[in-house]
Amino acid sequence: MDTRELTAPPSFPALYARSLLHRPTRRLDFPRTRVVLRDQRFDPGRLTEFCRLTGFPVRDEVPLPFPQVAGFGLQVDLMVREPFPFSVVGVLHVQQEFEQTRAIGVGERFDLSVRAVGMLPHRRGATVELRTELTVAGQRAPVWTGRSRYLARGVDWPGIPRDAARLDAPAGQGTLWRVPADLGRRYGAVSGDLNPVHVSPLTARAFGFRRAIAHGMWTASRALADLGGPALGAARYEVDFGSPLHLPSTVRHVARREGDGWSSAVRSRDGSKVHLATRLR
């Protein structure tokens, strides 16, 4: 596997400009390149704003989803600079998993890396799985791993599409969330994810959505914050994204205790649609 080392965090404006010029390869394969960014620290201001938007308390340890935000620029860099058979503009987040072996301190120095580990056929195109790893300075094994699965619609990938196992989605009254119309722009400013489907109704309509939709990462993070976040130790959080959450919306977060963990779901106000299902262990 090739390694491409970055000397600084990627510039999102430059990446998105490059994405507009990116031409998907016709080769039915995906690159085996690992993008690495070394000797980093979390940005306290960015972390504070993330916590404010998602409901996590600001403390000395970073919330379980936040390393995904720190590594998102590397994911975009990989997808716009390497020969993937799809364009990054308009891809949809369909599954996510976070796992940490211990809590990570805000002031710890770390290395980040991102690589693609596979592509699969999907009834609406193809999915690509990206793996993000955070390694604390002085250690070799990652203390945090993120596995992201994105859907590239319309890509003709060989094989027979198979539906992945889905998490259980609890039903019930739960807690009401009122999700504002400008959430996509506000969360995009913090995360760097300025995918047009999140930014405005006009740009979302260009990709087949009647209104802008919430970031899956915001919804997953808010659901975890509602559960009180994981214990300050080893944890694993799995997420399935379902129906798009249009902005603005009022939705319900329903949680159910399962042994020493939780299952939860974000549903439409009437309960008929599942926007997200999660499992925390």
Side-chain angles (χ1 to χ4, degrees):
M1 176 177 288
D2 296 332
T3 296
R4 179 161 53 82
E5 293 206 15
L6 305 182
T7 57
S11 161
F12 280 108
L15 288 177
Y16 284 114
R18 189 180 183 98
S19 73
L20 298 176
L21 303 174
H22 179 257
R23 293 293 178 266
T25 180
R26 294 184 178 182
R27 189 163 55 99
L28 291 177
D29 200 359
F30 62 92
R32 271 71 171 177
T33 300
R34 187 172 69 116
V35 180
V36 179
L37 184 62
R38 301 194 186 279
D39 197 25
Q40 297 297 297
R41 278 185 174 169
F42 294 109
D43 179 338
R46 190 183 189 191
L47 174 58
T48 298
E49 185 63 14
F50 172 86
C51 291
R52 190 178 73 83
L53 281 175
T54 56
F56 282 99
V58 177
R59 55 191 185 192
D60 292 337
E61 297 79 24
V62 300
L64 179 59
F66 191 70
Q68 175 75 16
V69 175
F72 180 69
L74 276 69
Q75 290 192 343
V76 179
D77 185 274
L78 176 70
M79 289 190 282
V80 302
R81 294 184 187 275
E82 302 296 336
F84 281 92
F86 59 84
S87 172
V88 68
V89 177
V91 299
L92 298 177
H93 205 169
V94 292
Q95 287 182 314
Q96 181 66 48
E97 180 182 314
F98 310 116
E99 187 168 8
Q100 68 181 24
T101 60
R102 65 167 177 82
I104 304 168
V106 172
E108 293 192 74
R109 304 197 77 92
F110 57 85
D111 297 341
L112 277 171
S113 69
V114 170
R115 69 186 190 275
V117 297
M119 289 191 67
L120 293 170
H122 188 277
R123 56 187 171 81
R124 296 170 61 194
T127 59
V128 59
E129 183 175 326
L130 304 185
R131 183 168 299 171
T132 304
E133 294 180 336
L134 183 149
T135 306
V136 171
Q139 300 182 14
R140 300 189 63 179
V143 298
W144 183 97
T145 302
R147 300 172 182 87
S148 310
R149 183 163 291 175
Y150 296 102
L151 170 63
R153 293 176 291 177
V155 174
D156 187 13
W157 194 259
I160 300 173
R162 290 183 171 85
D163 291 334
R166 305 293 291 180
L167 298 176
D168 183 39
Q173 291 299 308
T175 303
L176 280 180
W177 297 354
R178 289 177 173 82
V179 188
D182 65 348
L183 177 69
R185 293 188 295 275
R186 292 165 61 200
Y187 184 80
V190 173
S191 67
D193 184 354
L194 297 173
N195 189 319
V197 300
H198 304 305
V199 175
S200 75
L202 182 63
T203 54
R205 280 196 290 271
F207 292 90
F209 297 97
R210 68 179 187 272
R211 301 202 307 270
I213 62 174
H215 293 76
M217 272 293 299
W218 176 85
T219 314
S221 300
R222 173 67 188 274
L224 182 58
D226 263 15
L227 297 177
L232 296 181
R236 182 182 180 187
Y237 186 51
E238 302 166 82
V239 182
D240 284 343
F241 300 107
S243 299
L245 199 170
H246 291 96
L247 301 174
S249 285
T250 298
V251 295
R252 296 182 183 277
H253 180 226
V254 184
R256 181 177 66 210
R257 189 80 185 180
E258 291 191 349
D260 59 353
W262 291 89
S263 290
S264 79
V266 176
R267 291 179 171 269
S268 57
R269 188 169 189 170
D270 65 3
S272 63
K273 294 180 180 178
V274 176
H275 301 295
L276 169 145
T278 79
R279 181 166 60 197
L280 174 65
R281 296 290 182 270

